[in-house]
Every structure is written in C-alpha cells, then in structure tokens.
Amino acid sequence: MLYLLIRGQGNIIIMDTCIAHNLGLNRLAALIRGVITEPYRIGQLYMISKHSHEQSSDGEGVEVIINEPYTDPAHGEGQYTEKRLYLNSKLPAWVRGFVPKIFYITEKAWNYYPYTITEYTCSFLPKFQIRIETKFENNNGCNSQVFGEKPTPEEDVCFVDIAIDDIPEGYYKKSEDLRTFHSEKTGRGPLLEDWKETTQPIMCSYKLVAAKFEVYGFQSRVESFVHKNIKDILLAGHRQAVAWMDEWYGMSLEDVRKFEKKLQEETNCKVNSQKKPTESKSEALLNTSSGKHSINRSTSWNNGSETCPYAATNGSTDLKPRPRLPSAPE
C-alpha cells in the first residue's frame, strides 16, 4: 500500500507500504528492519533499473551520469546517483511552449537504505525543486511521527493502495495487476481487497515530499502538476516492484548491482542515440567545467536564488485529469 500525505504550500509527505506477504519471507520478527526492508531493497533497485530502461527511447528517458558508493558522516555508507531525465514529450503543452529543446531534470539521490534522499532540480528553471525523504519501516503506515515528534494530521494524508487504486491508463498493464498477480517462485498473490489489514508481515515506505516553484504566474500550476503526477509515478513503480518479484526474488545485492550496471549502459545508449552532434556540444557547454561534469554531491534544497527570465508569462489553464483505469477488471 502507498500512503501519500499532502501538505499545503507545495509540501507533500508520502508513505508507501509494500506487502511483505508477497516477498515470501519466513524470518523471525526479532530481526526488526531486516525482516522486510532488506529484501525489498533488492526489488526496488531492480524495478528502478528496469522501469528506466522501459521508459527510455528515441533520445528521451533516463541517462545515468554517476552511480557510486558514498559515505555520509551522519547516515553512514550508501550509494550516490545522479541522473538526467529527458522529458520534453511528456510535458504539458503550456510548459513545452517555453522550455528549450535541450531540456532535462537533474535527479540526485543519496541511498542510505532504509533511509534515502532524492532531489530534482532544473538549471533552466532555478526556482523549481522537489525533495523526497524516504524512511522504510516494518508496519502498515501507522507511525504518524515518522518525520518528527509532531504527528501528521490525518486529514493531510492521502492513502494510495497499490492493489486497489485506479491507475492512469498509460501505466496499466494486465501483467502488473496485483489483484490478479501470482508469484510462481513464492506462491504469493493475488492481493485481496482487505490485504493491508490482514497481511503480516508488512512494510511501509514513508515519504516526505516537498515541491517548490517560486515563480509568479506559474507556482500553483507547476506545484499542482507535480502533486498530481508524483502519486501516479509512485503507485506504478511499487506495483511493478511487486509484480516483477519472480524476476528479482533470490538476487543478492551484488547480483542486482550487476543487473543495474548492465541496464544503465543500455539505457544510456537509448537516450543518447538520437542526439545530434550540435545538441551534444551545446549540452556539454551547459553542464561541464574543465572537461569534467560539475557534480555537487551535497543537498541543494533551498539554495535556488536566480530569477527565471520567463516569470512574466502567466496563464490560467486548469490541469486536466488523465484517463484512469480500474486496477483490475471487475
């Protein structure tokens, strides 16, 4: 199950809960975090790599710039990744009208599993930032104080069920429908309507999400667009992590890192295959310094201070809902 907590002023909190039941685990409860979070770590890494590969083609998609071990004084050993998300064709028309042809979102992630930080920024829109903090816990989303001592108000939480909730038509695949899904390796599934109350053990991935776009005339529209899409992306991703279980179940961390590296190389080729020489040169001028990529591994949240040259543009077009399909046939 995915829990999405939305707060005002562009701040969001997200908690996504995944079925430990479907992971086929038979371990002692005394292991606490290790019971659920470690196996799902493999599934998540597998899902991200495969999903990025599937969504990349014709010069668009996910290009991996850096993927390497990283140590933080507070959080310990982890993995740092930096990616470029080329999304021109997926942007709404009111955005495509003023963004350059060479446009991408930069994703920086610090993975100290079971705690992670992910940030999204855009050099073309310096006032645009998204930050996601994630904490994985072995419960069904009952920890209202996961991100602080003050409980999150219940009315600010949007519950998203990976098995039952409707999903955008473009994301739906029958093979990833968890109400008909069955794992051959583990014997798990399908998920019944009351699975989140009856399943044990169970794991929740709590996400605190903040979206910010401080540009007059665009702030509310951009933040609404982000809020609408982030829920659908997380819903689809966690459905896939479970539906693809038979592909990653039994993998070690070393195995999934090898798989990750192989697919990253293939995905980068798909993204770069359609780039023209002039585009590559222009992009290099924007993003390199002294022949090397300019990388800042420190968090950039709240550091934006430049003025967007398109701030004067305004409009009032409402965001239109996308067609959605039930998660499974009736």
Side-chain angles (χ1 to χ4, degrees), residues 75 108-112 115-119 131-134:
H75 303 297
K108 295 183 179 182
W110 297 260
N111 190 338
Y112 310 106
Y115 173 70
T116 67
I117 302 171
T118 307
E119 292 184 354
R131 177 184 171 90
I132 304 176
E133 289 183 62
T134 304

Side-chain angles (χ1 to χ4, degrees), residues 19 22 161-165 172-184 187-193 195 239 242-244 246 326-330:
I19 19 171
N22 268 24
D161 190 319
I162 62 173
I164 306 302
D165 281 8
Y172 181 82
K173 292 182 181 179
K174 187 175 181 179
S175 62
E176 297 169 4
D177 193 324
L178 302 186
R179 293 203 291 187
T180 57
F181 156 83
H182 177 75
S183 167
E184 296 294 334
R188 307 298 178 175
L191 294 185
L192 303 179
E193 192 164 346
W195 70 270
R239 284 165 61 102
V242 176
W244 295 341
D246 284 349
S327 289
E330 296 297 327

Side-chain angles (χ1 to χ4, degrees), residues 3 15 23 42-43 64 89 96 99 108 136 161 286 295 317:
Y3 294 100
M15 296 101 92
L23 302 182
I42 305 299
V64 180
S89 66
R96 291 199 302 270
V99 300
K108 295 183 179 182
F136 295 86
D161 190 319
L286 289 171
I295 302 298
T317 303

Side-chain angles (χ1 to χ4, degrees), residues 29-96:
L31 292 177
I32 312 177
R33 288 184 183 276
V35 177
I36 309 307
T37 57
E38 281 308 309
Y40 190 70
R41 179 184 190 182
I42 305 299
Q44 186 184 43
L45 291 172
Y46 183 95
M47 175 271 293
I48 291 171
S49 296
K50 182 176 177 179
H51 179 84
S52 297
H53 188 266
E54 287 187 347
Q55 296 297 312
S56 300
S57 63
D58 300 326
E60 290 202 356
V62 182
E63 179 183 15
V64 180
I65 306 300
I66 292 178
N67 186 354
E68 63 186 19
Y70 182 73
T71 301
D72 180 83
H75 303 297
E77 295 183 359
Q79 194 82 2
Y80 171 79
T81 58
E82 181 161 343
K83 303 175 183 179
R84 293 175 183 171
L85 315 180
Y86 296 88
L87 307 169
N88 286 65
S89 66
K90 295 180 174 60
L91 295 173
W94 57 269
V95 174
R96 291 199 302 270

Side-chain angles (χ1 to χ4, degrees), residues 84 86 100-104 123 275-288:
R84 293 175 183 171
Y86 296 88
K101 186 175 182 181
I102 306 173
F103 171 81
Y104 60 83
S123 59
K275 286 185 180 179
K276 299 177 182 179
T278 53
E279 291 178 354
S280 299
K281 289 179 180 179
S282 299
E283 187 177 329
L285 290 174
L286 289 171
N287 299 287
T288 61

